[in-house]
Amino acid sequence: APVTIGDITLGDVIAQLEKAEALVHAKMTAGWQRVMDNFSDFVIAGPLTFVFHEIVYFGAWVPWLVLDQIPYFKRYKIQPDKKADWAMVAKCLKRLLLSHVFIQLPMQLMFHWVAQFLGFSMSLPLPPVRDLAWQLPAFFVIEDFYFYWIHRALHHKSVYRYVHKIHHEHTHPFGIAAEYAHPIETFFLGIGTLLGPLFFAKHMVTLWAWLFVRLWETVEDHSGYDLPWNPTNFIPFWGGAVHHDFHHKTFQGPYSSIFTWCDWAFGTDKMFRAQQKKLRAGKEGAYPAQFRGAANFEALETEQAKAKVA
């Protein structure tokens, strides 16, 4: 007998999902056709992808910038006693724009030939939308493992002060500090972003979809906020801002960009996990490397005070 919920069968659900997928695919195809009609492959792979990057990157920062202006949200700051002043933000913006225009844009302009060499397609038909359901998680896993080892290497004393120290000028990071980095770091970490699409996709639309979620993720990582209703809180082993903020504060591990398992498996998160256990009032997590507790110690004390009153 078919699986049912009331009058709705599993087949009905699948049919509706397939109908929705077909509609999204048709809209994407029409949109991509307009892109191809108006721009050459070189412009799509180079300048247009650069513009897409800028819009998504700075757009992803706007919600966190708004929260910075609202005192209520200070309770969710991971370092509530710290706030980037406008001089710090202006310095970051200046360096970012120089880096984006004189480092990232030239790299992006060369990507057309790199894409051709690696076999990336820009033509129709577009890949099925459903492929993103497994591709994007796979890309995150691949980049996270690559990032962990490159990032850990950048902390080696022989190279740290020459390269990665620039990124660590911000001990209490804010959204757009994510790409505040030395050109060498930008280049090597950028390779990790391409690995997943290179192995499993090779279409520019898939690369754009991946770039969109990856940029939102890295800006969130540097946001300085741990919001309890953030959907990523429900993803097992997701690091989020608390994971990376601790790294900026202490200059120690954890080193991963996305998940917590590499640091747990290779023993580079012990200080972090000890702190998070305190933020859970001494309670262990439900699984290894789980860390969600109060956003900060002030918030923990407030929660405990409310519990006593209740």
Side-chain angles (χ1 to χ4, degrees), residues 236-296:
F237 297 99
W238 187 268
V242 289
H243 199 239
H244 198 64
D245 199 280
F246 184 86
H247 174 73
H248 272 265
K249 181 180 179 180
T250 64
F251 301 91
Q252 305 293 322
Y255 297 108
S256 290
S257 62
I258 302 158
F259 301 108
T260 60
W261 52 50
C262 280
D263 286 286
W264 172 64
F266 299 110
T268 49
D269 67 347
K270 293 178 182 178
M271 288 175 58
F272 170 76
R273 291 171 65 193
Q275 185 212 43
Q276 293 303 313
K277 186 176 179 179
K278 291 178 182 177
L279 289 171
R280 290 196 302 270
K283 299 175 183 177
E284 292 291 347
Y287 55 85
Q290 184 188 12
F291 54 83
R292 292 292 175 192
N296 53 65

Side-chain angles (χ1 to χ4, degrees), residues 49-261:
T49 300
F50 175 77
V51 170
F52 177 78
H53 170 279
E54 298 302 283
I55 292 172
V56 175
Y57 182 72
F58 288 104
W61 176 47
V62 171
W64 306 109
L65 182 61
V66 171
L67 295 192
D68 280 340
Q69 315 312 313
I70 305 174
Y72 172 83
F73 290 100
K74 184 180 177 183
R75 69 191 67 189
Y76 301 121
K77 286 281 289 184
I78 299 165
Q79 299 185 58
D81 57 328
K82 302 288 181 63
K83 183 179 179 180
D85 57 32
W86 284 108
M88 183 183 294
V89 174
K91 179 184 177 183
C92 181
L93 275 170
K94 179 181 177 181
R95 188 181 189 103
L96 275 176
L97 292 173
L98 288 172
S99 175
H100 285 186
V101 172
F102 295 106
I103 304 298
Q104 290 194 24
L105 179 57
M107 290 171 60
Q108 201 65 62
L109 292 176
M110 291 189 293
F111 183 67
H112 171 60
W113 293 282
V114 175
Q116 284 185 319
F117 178 76
L118 297 177
F120 275 83
S121 172
M122 298 182 203
S123 60
L124 295 175
L126 300 182
V129 177
R130 69 184 68 184
D131 286 356
L132 294 175
W134 68 265
Q135 287 173 336
L136 295 180
F139 298 169
F140 272 124
V141 171
I142 292 168
E143 171 149 8
D144 186 62
F145 186 78
Y146 174 89
F147 185 100
Y148 174 84
W149 290 107
I150 296 296
H151 187 196
R152 191 170 172 179
L154 288 171
H155 274 269
H156 192 276
K157 61 183 181 181
S158 64
V159 296
Y160 173 79
R161 66 174 180 166
Y162 301 109
V163 180
H164 194 50
K165 186 178 180 180
I166 291 175
H167 185 66
H168 276 282
E169 287 180 17
H170 301 108
T171 56
H172 49 285
F174 50 97
I176 54 168
E179 292 188 351
Y180 185 89
H182 191 283
I184 292 176
E185 179 174 347
T186 298
F187 175 78
F188 279 101
L189 293 182
I191 292 173
T193 303
L194 282 176
L195 290 180
L198 176 61
F199 292 149
F200 295 115
K202 293 190 177 182
H203 198 287
M204 280 299 297
V205 166
T206 307
L207 183 61
W208 278 24
W210 163 234
L211 189 61
F212 181 87
V213 295
R214 178 65 174 111
L215 288 171
W216 274 89
E217 179 274 330
T218 194
V219 171
E220 179 198 330
D221 264 9
H222 293 81
S223 68
Y225 285 92
D226 185 22
L227 302 177
W229 57 82
N230 193 327
T232 57
N233 289 357
F234 301 99
I235 303 175
F237 297 99
W238 187 268
V242 289
H243 199 239
H244 198 64
D245 199 280
F246 184 86
H247 174 73
H248 272 265
K249 181 180 179 180
T250 64
F251 301 91
Q252 305 293 322
Y255 297 108
S256 290
S257 62
I258 302 158
F259 301 108
T260 60
W261 52 50

